[in-house]
Amino acid sequence: MTLGEQALGTTISNMIHVLETCQPASIILKPKREKSLLNRHPWVFSGAISRFEGQPRSGDTVDVLAADGRWLARGAYSPHSQIRVRAWSFDQAEVIDPVFFERRLQQALDLRRRIISSAVTDACRLVAGESDGLPGLIVDRYGNWVVAQFLSAGTERWKSAIVHSLNDLIPDLAGIYERSDVDVRKKEGLVPVVGRLFGAEPPGQVEIKEN
């Protein structure tokens, strides 16, 4: 094989990868199993699934369709969990990319700033999973440190983008520490993880302000 043929093969492979990224696999539900998604519940259980179109991997973004072909949601696929899909979005035009996570995190932080005064406390839950449209993600603030839990295949896949956005969006951040050492990760096929993700290692004790 010539260098030109090798280059062509690499180019085609990259093009296929881009197309696969732009065209998520689809999960088709059994008849009459779309009600929870129509009510904006973000979970799809394994028993509701009829078949797949494509070959999604753990954490991949997939489209969820009703039995009649109607588009319902876009979410993260988890082959090991009984919760087979956790929906990121119910808007078909919304792309799941780093900008999506930055936008959702910004919304969560803006909400806390409206209801929690920094003059009162600097310790609170910044992101509460499904409640903030980010299933499987928990983020708590303690003074100048943030502690994050990535509890689903989807949040594990997008961990780097999430950490980058948290660093960009939270001023005076000393560090981000991961405490993904809970049993629910095993159900997602994920191993426990603990350690520094960004910035300084937190001290043994962190002083916070409350009331």
Side-chain angles (χ1 to χ4, degrees):
M1 181 182 291
T2 67
L3 291 176
E5 289 171 333
Q6 290 177 344
L8 178 59
T10 301
T11 300
I12 292 173
S13 177
N14 290 338
M15 290 174 64
I16 291 172
H17 175 72
V18 170
L19 288 172
E20 289 175 341
T21 304
C22 295
Q23 298 174 342
S26 295
I27 288 178
I28 294 85
L29 302 184
K30 296 175 181 177
K32 299 182 181 180
R33 300 302 293 269
E34 69 271 20
K35 184 177 180 180
S36 61
L37 287 175
L38 292 174
N39 289 330
R40 298 297 191 266
H41 191 289
W43 293 356
V44 177
F45 288 93
S46 59
I49 296 173
S50 172
R51 67 183 192 278
F52 296 82
E53 291 183 356
Q55 296 180 323
R57 298 167 298 176
S58 180
D60 278 357
T61 299
V62 296
D63 285 336
V64 182
L65 310 179
D68 60 8
R70 284 177 295 151
W71 188 93
L72 298 170
R74 184 165 289 136
Y77 175 64
S78 179
H80 302 285
S81 174
Q82 288 299 308
I83 305 172
R84 205 53 55 94
V85 179
R86 287 174 167 82
W88 293 127
S89 178
F90 297 98
D91 179 358
Q92 191 171 1
E94 192 160 36
V95 177
I96 310 305
D97 60 8
V99 176
F100 165 84
F101 290 97
E102 182 174 6
R103 184 167 60 247
R104 286 288 171 92
L105 289 168
Q106 183 68 72
Q107 292 169 354
L109 295 173
D110 287 346
L111 174 62
R112 272 63 177 184
R113 291 182 182 119
R114 289 198 300 270
I115 63 177
I116 302 173
S117 171
S118 59
V120 174
T121 184
D122 58 1
C124 66
R125 177 146 293 179
L126 298 178
V127 179
E130 283 80 352
S131 298
D132 290 301
L134 292 167
L137 179 65
I138 303 296
V139 180
D140 294 315
R141 178 163 192 167
Y142 301 97
N144 290 331
W145 275 268
V146 161
V147 177
Q149 290 182 306
F150 301 86
L151 306 179
S152 65
T155 54
E156 182 70 19
R157 169 63 63 86
W158 290 98
K159 182 186 293 185
S160 294
I162 292 168
V163 170
H164 180 79
S165 291
L166 287 171
N167 179 45
D168 283 347
L169 295 172
I170 302 175
D172 303 322
L173 192 62
I176 301 173
Y177 195 78
E178 180 173 7
R179 283 298 306 267
S180 301
D181 54 349
V182 294
D183 288 341
V184 69
R185 274 179 65 93
K186 297 178 183 178
K187 297 179 180 180
E188 295 283 313
L190 304 172
V191 298
V193 179
V194 175
R196 181 176 60 89
L197 291 171
F198 171 80
E201 190 83 18
Q205 293 184 335
V206 175
E207 183 174 334
I208 64 170
K209 174 173 59 179
E210 193 171 39
N211 298 330

